Amino acid sequence: MAGKNAPSSGDPDKASVLNLLGRTARAQQRHKLAIKYFTQALEANPFLWEALENLSELGSAPDPNSMFTEFDSTIANVFAPRSAPVTQRINPAIPTPPTPLIPKHEDLQNENIDDTAPETSYNHSSVPAHDLIKPRQGFLPTIDTNSMAVLAQILRQLCKHVAALQASELVGGVAPPAVSKAELQEELEALRIVADTFKILARAYGLFSQNKFNESMMEYESLPYEHLASGWVQCQLAKNKFEMTDYTTAAQYFQRARELEPSIHRDMEIYSTCLWHLKQEMKLSALGKELKDSNHHSPQAWCALGNAYSLRNENDQAIKCFQRAIQLDDRFAYAHTLSGHEYKGLEEYDKALTEYRTALSIDDRHYPAWCGMGDVYIKVGKSDLALIHYKEAHILNPSNTVVIFLVGIVQERMNRTTEALRSFEEAIHLQPGHAMARFEKAKVQKEMGQYTEALKELDVVHKIAPTEPRVFMLQGEILLEMGDKKEALKKLTWALDLDSKSSHAIRDLIDKVNQDSDAEEQAYDIQHDSDG
C-alpha cells in the first residue's frame, strides 16, 4: 500500500520548518509573521494540527474545507462515480449507545462490543455528549492529532499512484502500476475519513477560539465515538462549558477526561479553576497532588496546587506555586494571571498589574488578564480605566456573563445608567438565571424611576433567591417611593428578620416609614380640627 511504503529521508519537512518559524515568530510577539508562517505550514501539510491550533489561538482560524481543497478535488475526479459526497461523510453512522449512563473507565477497557451489530444513527440534540463516548472496537482508529505530518506524504504518494493508474488506462505500452485501483480506492477512502474527522476537529477548535461555544460543542458532539471518547475532546467540551460559566457541567467533562486518560495534564489548570469556583476543596487538593505526583515538572500541576492553596486563603503559598509554574514555563500566560489574582487578594496592586501585563504580553487575547486589571482599577478607584479593561475582555469573550456584568457594575458606578441597564439586560439574555444581574438591573430601574418594571424584576429574583434580604430591602425602598407604606413596612420587616448585619440601615428605613405615617396623621388631625 502507498501509505505503508511511503519513503522517508533525512531532509527537514517543509511544513515542520514553517511551523517552527511560526512558533519562533509568535514567541517574539511578531504575530502577523507567525500567522503567515503557520498558514504556509498548513498549505504544505493540511494535517499539521499544531499550526492550525496556533492560528486559532492567534485569532486567525482557517476554513477547514479550504485546507483540503486539493485532496477533495483528487477524490472527486478519480473516484466520483463510486464515492459519496464528502458532505455526507462528515457524520458517519454511529451506533446507538447500549446504555444512557456514563460507563466507568474499567468498563471501557474490558467490555467487548459486537462489531456485527447493525449500525444506526442517533439524534445529537437529545443525547448529551458524555452519554455518547463508549468506544466501539474496530470502528475507526483514534487520530493522534500531534503526529499527523506523515499523512501529507501519504497523500502525495497516493496522488502519484493515481496518476500512474490513469496513464496505464489511457495510454498503451505503459507498465502496470505497483498498486491496483481497488487498493488505491481503499486507502484514499480511509484517508478521506481521517480528513473529514480532522475537519470537524479543526472547525470545533476554531469556533472555540472565536468564543462560539455552543457551535463548538455541536461540532465536537458530531464526532464518532472513539474520538469523542478521548480525554482531549472531553477537555475541549469542558473548556466550552467553563467559558460559558457552567462550572458544574465543565467539572463533569473534566472528570470524565481524567477517567479516560488519567495521565492527562494539558488543560488541568482550567479544571482546577473550575473546582475553585465550585468551592470543592477536597477534589481540588486531590487533583493538585495527583498531577504533581505524576509529573513534578508539570506547570499545570503547580497551578492546580496554587488554586488549592488559594481556596484555603493561603495566598502566599498559592503565589509560590504559581511562580513555580512560571519557572517551568515562562510562556504560560494563565500562571501569570493566577499570580495576579493572588496579589490582588493581598492588595499588592502593583505586583498584580505586573503579572497581568506579563500575561498579556504573552497572549494579548487572554481575556482573564484584562478582567483582572479591571478588578485592580476598581479597587484603586479608577473606574474609567476599569471600564476600558472590562470592555476589552468583553470584546474578546462576549459570551461570558461575568464580564458583561462587571461592565454594567462600573457603568452604574459612573452614573451611566442607560448603558448599565443595557449591560445587565445583555447578561440576563445570556444567562436568564443570573440573579445578581437582575437585582442590579432593578436598582438601575429604581434610579430611573421605573418602579413597576423594577418590582417585576425583583419578583423574578425572589423566585431564584427566596431568602435574600437585599431583595426585600430594595422592594421596600421602591414601595416607599411609590407611597405604599403598608406594603413597604412588610417587606422591610422581612428583610430585618433575615439580615441582622444590615439591621441599622433597615431600621432607619422602617423609622422613616413610621415618621412619615405620624406626620400624615398629625396633618390629618390639624386639618380635621380646622374643618370643625
Side-chain angles (χ1 to χ4, degrees), residues 263-276:
S263 62
I264 196 168
H265 273 251
R266 182 174 175 176
D267 297 324
M268 289 299 102
E269 73 280 6
I270 308 296
Y271 183 23
S272 69
T273 300
C274 187
L275 294 174
W276 186 94

Side-chain angles (χ1 to χ4, degrees), residues 480 485 488-489 492 509-518:
L480 190 59
K485 296 182 178 61
L489 188 60
L492 292 171
L509 284 170
I510 292 174
D511 290 341
K512 182 180 178 182
V513 174
N514 292 330
Q515 288 169 5
D516 289 345
S517 298
D518 291 341

Side-chain angles (χ1 to χ4, degrees), residues 342-404:
E342 295 307 308
Y343 282 126
K344 180 183 65 181
L346 293 170
E347 299 184 357
E348 297 185 37
Y349 298 131
D350 288 340
K351 290 182 179 179
L353 287 173
T354 298
E355 292 290 353
Y356 291 137
R357 286 172 181 143
T358 304
L360 291 174
S361 70
I362 297 168
D363 180 4
D364 60 359
R365 300 180 74 246
H366 185 56
Y367 82 91
W370 288 102
C371 211
M373 293 183 75
D375 292 343
V376 170
Y377 287 126
I378 277 287
K379 296 283 187 183
V380 299
K382 297 182 179 180
S383 297
D384 53 341
L385 289 176
L387 184 60
I388 290 171
H389 287 79
Y390 284 145
K391 281 190 170 181
E392 188 64 34
H394 178 54
I395 291 169
L396 291 169
N397 190 352
S399 300
N400 191 296
T401 54
V402 174
V403 176
I404 188 59

Side-chain angles (χ1 to χ4, degrees), residues 42-180:
L42 273 182
E43 289 172 354
N45 178 7
F47 291 106
L48 188 57
W49 177 261
E50 187 179 355
L52 182 141
E53 198 173 53
N54 275 279
L55 281 172
S56 297
E57 291 170 1
L58 288 168
S60 297
D63 175 13
N65 289 327
S66 66
M67 291 160 46
F68 290 91
T69 303
E70 183 179 353
F71 172 67
D72 290 340
S73 176
T74 301
I75 290 285
N77 291 336
V78 177
F79 298 118
R82 297 176 59 186
S83 303
V86 172
T87 54
Q88 294 180 10
R89 312 188 80 88
I90 291 179
N91 275 323
I94 300 176
T96 304
T99 172
L101 300 176
I102 303 175
K104 295 181 180 179
H105 180 59
E106 56 268 23
D107 294 334
L108 297 180
Q109 294 177 321
N110 299 329
E111 183 170 3
N112 292 319
I113 301 176
D114 183 10
D115 285 342
T116 62
E119 295 185 1
T120 58
S121 60
Y122 65 91
N123 186 347
H124 294 295
S125 62
S126 62
V127 184
H130 51 263
D131 291 344
L132 303 174
I133 58 178
K134 178 164 288 191
R136 185 169 183 274
Q137 297 175 357
F139 175 51
L140 181 64
T142 302
I143 292 177
D144 178 2
T145 54
N146 295 319
S147 58
M148 299 179 69
V150 71
L151 291 175
Q153 189 176 8
I154 293 173
L155 177 58
R156 286 193 291 270
Q157 287 297 113
L158 288 172
C159 289
K160 289 180 181 178
H161 285 296
V162 167
L165 268 175
Q166 290 175 330
S168 67
E169 294 176 350
L170 302 169
V171 180
V174 178
V179 181
S180 70

Side-chain angles (χ1 to χ4, degrees), residues 393-461:
H394 178 54
I395 291 169
L396 291 169
N397 190 352
S399 300
N400 191 296
T401 54
V402 174
V403 176
I404 188 59
F405 173 75
L406 290 170
V407 169
I409 289 293
V410 180
Q411 290 168 334
E412 183 182 4
R413 182 175 294 191
M414 297 172 70
N415 295 317
R416 295 163 67 166
T417 51
T418 303
E419 294 176 28
L421 184 63
R422 282 199 297 266
S423 295
F424 294 135
E425 286 174 343
E426 184 177 346
I428 293 165
H429 175 73
L430 290 169
Q431 186 179 336
H434 198 310
M436 282 303 299
R438 289 186 178 277
F439 180 78
E440 293 297 331
K441 178 186 174 183
K443 282 174 60 179
V444 171
Q445 288 173 325
K446 172 182 175 288
E447 295 299 318
M448 299 173 71
Q450 300 175 7
Y451 299 133
T452 303
E453 293 84 350
L455 287 174
K456 287 180 180 178
E457 202 65 59
L458 289 172
D459 285 340
V460 178
V461 179

Side-chain angles (χ1 to χ4, degrees), residues 211-495:
N211 303 305
K212 297 178 180 179
F213 305 121
N214 281 317
E215 294 93 329
S216 176
M217 291 199 69
M218 289 175 66
E219 288 291 339
Y220 282 123
E221 289 173 354
S222 71
L223 287 166
Y225 283 167
E226 287 165 345
H227 302 294
L228 197 58
S230 70
W232 187 86
V233 171
Q234 291 292 298
C235 280
Q236 303 315 303
L237 292 167
K239 285 161 60 179
N240 274 290
K241 284 295 184 181
F242 179 87
E243 296 298 345
M244 295 161 70
T245 66
D246 184 355
Y247 301 124
T248 300
T249 307
Q252 292 171 353
Y253 279 119
F254 276 126
Q255 183 178 345
R256 185 62 181 147
R258 284 186 55 74
E259 289 173 1
L260 291 164
E261 297 182 28
S263 62
I264 196 168
H265 273 251
R266 182 174 175 176
D267 297 324
M268 289 299 102
E269 73 280 6
I270 308 296
Y271 183 23
S272 69
T273 300
C274 187
L275 294 174
W276 186 94
H277 281 293
L278 294 172
K279 310 300 180 190
Q280 295 187 6
E281 184 177 333
M282 291 183 64
K283 279 189 176 181
L284 180 51
S285 298
L287 175 67
K289 185 178 184 305
E290 289 170 9
L291 291 172
K292 180 173 172 288
D293 288 346
S294 65
N295 185 353
H296 192 76
H297 298 287
S298 163
Q300 293 86 358
W302 287 100
C303 282
L305 286 169
N307 272 330
Y309 282 118
S310 175
L311 189 56
R312 297 199 294 265
N313 294 317
E314 298 180 35
N315 303 88
D316 291 331
Q317 289 298 322
I319 289 171
K320 288 180 181 178
C321 291
F322 296 140
Q323 291 300 313
R324 176 58 178 153
I326 291 168
Q327 286 178 347
L328 292 166
D329 182 1
D330 61 357
R331 304 292 301 168
F332 197 1
Y334 197 61
H336 286 285
T337 295
L338 292 175
S339 287
H341 291 342
E342 295 307 308
Y343 282 126
K344 180 183 65 181
L346 293 170
E347 299 184 357
E348 297 185 37
Y349 298 131
D350 288 340
K351 290 182 179 179
L353 287 173
T354 298
E355 292 290 353
Y356 291 137
R357 286 172 181 143
T358 304
L360 291 174
S361 70
I362 297 168
D363 180 4
D364 60 359
R365 300 180 74 246
H366 185 56
Y367 82 91
W370 288 102
C371 211
M373 293 183 75
D375 292 343
V376 170
Y377 287 126
I378 277 287
K379 296 283 187 183
V380 299
K382 297 182 179 180
S383 297
D384 53 341
L385 289 176
L387 184 60
I388 290 171
H389 287 79
Y390 284 145
K391 281 190 170 181
E392 188 64 34
H394 178 54
I395 291 169
L396 291 169
N397 190 352
S399 300
N400 191 296
T401 54
V402 174
V403 176
I404 188 59
F405 173 75
L406 290 170
V407 169
I409 289 293
V410 180
Q411 290 168 334
E412 183 182 4
R413 182 175 294 191
M414 297 172 70
N415 295 317
R416 295 163 67 166
T417 51
T418 303
E419 294 176 28
L421 184 63
R422 282 199 297 266
S423 295
F424 294 135
E425 286 174 343
E426 184 177 346
I428 293 165
H429 175 73
L430 290 169
Q431 186 179 336
H434 198 310
M436 282 303 299
R438 289 186 178 277
F439 180 78
E440 293 297 331
K441 178 186 174 183
K443 282 174 60 179
V444 171
Q445 288 173 325
K446 172 182 175 288
E447 295 299 318
M448 299 173 71
Q450 300 175 7
Y451 299 133
T452 303
E453 293 84 350
L455 287 174
K456 287 180 180 178
E457 202 65 59
L458 289 172
D459 285 340
V460 178
V461 179
H462 175 68
K463 291 176 182 176
I464 301 170
T467 59
E468 175 55 55
R470 288 177 296 175
V471 175
F472 291 115
M473 187 173 177
L474 185 55
Q475 285 175 326
E477 292 176 7
I478 294 170
L479 289 166
L480 190 59
E481 293 283 345
M482 296 174 71
D484 190 347
K485 296 182 178 61
K486 181 180 178 181
E487 196 63 27
L489 188 60
K490 184 192 297 184
K491 298 290 186 182
L492 292 171
T493 303
W494 288 346

